[in-house]
Amino acid sequence: MSLDFILQKPTLSKDDLIFLLQTKGKEEQTLFDFSGKIKQQHVGNIVYLRGLIEYSNNCRKNCYYCGIRRSNNLLQRYCLTEDEVLQTVQFAYHHGYGSIAIQSGELSSRTFINQIDRILKESKRLTNGEIGITLSCGEQSEETYRRWFESGADRYLLRIETSSEELFLKLHPQDKLHRFANRLNALEALKKIGYQVGTGVMIGLPFQTTEHLADDLLFMKTFDIDMCGMGPYIEHRDTPLYAYKDQLLPLKERLNLSFKMIALLRIMMHNINIAATTALQAIEKNARERAIQIGANVLMPNITPGQYQDNYFLYDNKPLSESRPQDELHYLEQRLKTIGHEIGYFRQGNSLNFYLKKSFPLNQK
């Protein structure tokens, strides 16, 4: 069966995906060219911004892969003040970021829930309701999700990490805080409430197979996600999973596999938002631009106050910028111009997929 024949099929099977994930050389480039055309046809050459605010590295979870896991005592813990967050939101708003993304280690205390709630309300007030807000604060109760949604959160990113329960169990402690069913239930709750729902997986994990990755793509298609943030697994030396570092694919192969996952997801889901994640850039300087050319349409520049960025290390070799955020934005704009793309300043960049299935008018202001 030829590559061209497979790419023209209306629906890709698991066997098709496995075959496409294993392409190399000219066939791989054909895949990337095809996904790039799909992307241009459906979401164009506008790249939407999510100003990333890493709110806190405190976390109640103890995931085996994550540098901010609860048991990592080598980490200096921090939490931004509400004023620091709101000043950063105002910076984003005045510099044309249509949206922000507030990311945090997972906490479920009343104090944390109330803090996020106040930040949401005040962020909307300070920006006349114009700034889009994505939250990525882990598993919460349906009540909390609903409260945050009503206070102004538009989107929620909750990575499934892997759609394989068997693999999920190898990445987490076996206790009530780390159950695969909890993750699925949380995603269902977010969808029911009305969020634009995002998820994602790590690519190149220990114990992971090509079959797992094909299933991940099918999971995202079946769940009908609105946005995706996925990228290569990069090990962190202060985590249990680091013991398996010698069994991992080389970083370049993990990067290339990530590109193929992005390309295939764009082919399968034409209208969703796909982020070119920071983890790509940790392996290759220009990897985000490559991801955009083959299917991604969202960038998440880190606008966390600089004194905190050193302490939000989910993985080793996280890229840090020594430039001011406004200078970094100008650099990014120039880089995108070289590949025929432009930033959608002052536009929220909401998921077209979300609005199409809801039959709502698309708000892309």
Side-chain angles (χ1 to χ4, degrees):
M1 189 177 297
S2 72
L3 177 66
D4 289 337
F5 177 80
I6 293 174
L7 290 176
Q8 295 299 330
K9 293 171 69 172
T11 303
L12 296 176
S13 68
K14 182 174 178 177
D15 286 343
D16 294 333
L17 294 171
I18 291 170
F19 172 81
L20 293 167
L21 285 167
Q22 294 173 335
T23 54
K24 294 182 180 180
K26 290 183 178 179
E27 285 192 333
E28 179 184 271
Q29 190 57 52
T30 298
L31 169 64
F32 292 158
D33 290 344
F34 184 78
S35 64
K37 290 177 182 177
I38 294 290
K39 182 224 165 178
Q40 285 289 340
Q41 290 169 6
H42 292 271
V43 296
N45 68 339
I46 302 297
V47 177
Y48 299 112
L49 299 177
R50 309 281 185 260
L52 179 61
I53 303 173
E54 295 166 333
Y55 175 60
S56 174
N57 67 355
N58 295 303
C59 191
R60 64 176 181 153
K61 291 289 187 71
N62 223 7
C63 307
Y64 292 152
Y65 56 83
C66 184
I68 66 170
R69 64 194 304 266
R70 186 183 69 235
S71 294
N72 184 2
N73 296 320
L74 301 175
L75 188 65
Q76 182 178 338
R77 302 288 175 172
Y78 77 89
C79 182
L80 273 64
T81 67
E82 291 177 37
D83 282 345
E84 286 173 323
V85 176
L86 294 172
Q87 288 170 15
T88 308
V89 170
Q90 288 180 295
F91 164 85
Y93 178 61
H94 291 301
H95 284 81
Y97 288 78
S99 295
I100 57 166
I102 299 175
Q103 182 175 341
S104 175
E106 183 178 311
L107 298 172
S108 60
S109 67
R110 184 53 51 189
T111 297
F112 177 79
I113 292 168
N114 289 341
Q115 287 170 336
I116 296 295
D117 193 64
R118 288 193 297 269
I119 288 168
L120 288 168
K121 290 176 179 176
E122 191 64 9
S123 295
K124 288 293 187 178
R125 188 189 71 80
L126 290 171
T127 64
N128 303 310
E130 294 177 9
I131 198 102
I133 303 177
T134 301
L135 289 181
S136 183
C137 300
E139 295 169 12
Q140 304 289 342
S141 69
E142 184 174 331
E143 176 188 4
T144 297
Y145 285 148
R146 190 174 301 279
R147 179 180 175 188
W148 287 346
F149 181 74
E150 292 172 353
S151 294
D154 303 288
R155 316 180 191 96
Y156 204 101
L157 177 62
L158 181 63
R159 292 185 176 91
I160 191 73
E161 307 300 5
T162 173
S163 62
S164 163
E165 184 170 9
E166 179 185 5
L167 182 53
F168 187 93
L169 292 173
K170 293 180 179 179
L171 306 179
H172 302 87
Q174 304 307 297
D175 60 39
K176 64 181 181 180
L177 279 182
H178 302 83
R179 291 178 178 167
F180 186 69
N182 293 348
R183 190 66 55 93
L184 294 177
N185 290 338
L187 285 167
E188 290 289 355
L190 290 164
K191 180 185 282 190
K192 181 174 75 171
I193 289 165
Y195 282 92
Q196 296 174 51
V197 180
T199 194
V201 297
M202 290 181 288
I203 300 158
L205 284 161
F207 324 116
Q208 189 180 58
T209 65
T210 307
E211 287 78 8
H212 285 139
L213 293 173
D215 284 333
D216 291 338
L217 291 166
L218 292 170
F219 170 83
M220 289 187 276
K221 171 71 173 177
T222 300
F223 190 83
D224 197 16
I225 63 170
D226 302 306
M227 56 190 191
C228 179
M230 62 179 171
Y233 165 70
I234 302 175
E235 61 273 26
H236 190 295
R237 64 187 66 252
D238 300 322
T239 63
L241 221 57
Y242 191 73
Y244 300 94
K245 61 181 173 50
D246 293 336
Q247 300 178 23
L248 298 172
L249 291 171
L251 280 172
K252 289 282 188 174
E253 290 187 31
R254 279 178 260 169
L255 178 64
N256 220 42
L257 198 51
S258 300
F259 289 146
K260 284 187 271 194
M261 288 287 286
I262 289 170
L264 289 170
L265 187 60
R266 177 58 69 194
I267 291 168
M268 296 170 69
M269 304 190 75
H270 297 170
N271 299 309
I272 67 170
N273 284 340
I274 301 177
T277 60
T278 306
L280 298 167
Q281 190 186 8
I283 299 177
E284 186 177 284
K285 183 179 180 181
N286 299 325
R288 290 184 303 176
E289 290 91 320
R290 289 182 63 194
I292 286 165
Q293 288 177 296
I294 63 174
N297 68 320
V298 170
L299 283 173
M300 300 176 68
N302 194 334
I303 58 173
T304 307
Q307 67 267 34
Y308 299 108
Q309 290 190 26
D310 285 351
N311 294 311
Y312 203 88
F313 272 97
L314 306 181
Y315 48 83
D316 285 347
N317 300 318
K318 172 188 172 184
L320 297 173
S321 174
E322 296 180 0
S323 304
R324 297 182 306 164
Q326 52 267 47
D327 295 333
E328 188 73 13
L329 188 58
H330 177 71
Y331 169 78
L332 192 58
E333 184 179 80
Q334 297 306 310
R335 289 295 309 160
L336 290 174
K337 282 183 179 178
T338 66
I339 59 169
H341 286 70
E342 60 182 282
I343 293 173
Y345 283 113
F346 298 102
R347 298 173 69 178
Q348 289 185 10
N350 291 308
S351 169
L352 180 58
N353 185 66
F354 175 81
Y355 285 96
L356 288 173
K357 66 189 177 187
K358 297 290 185 181
S359 299
F360 291 160
L362 180 62
N363 175 13
Q364 288 286 28
K365 63 182 180 181

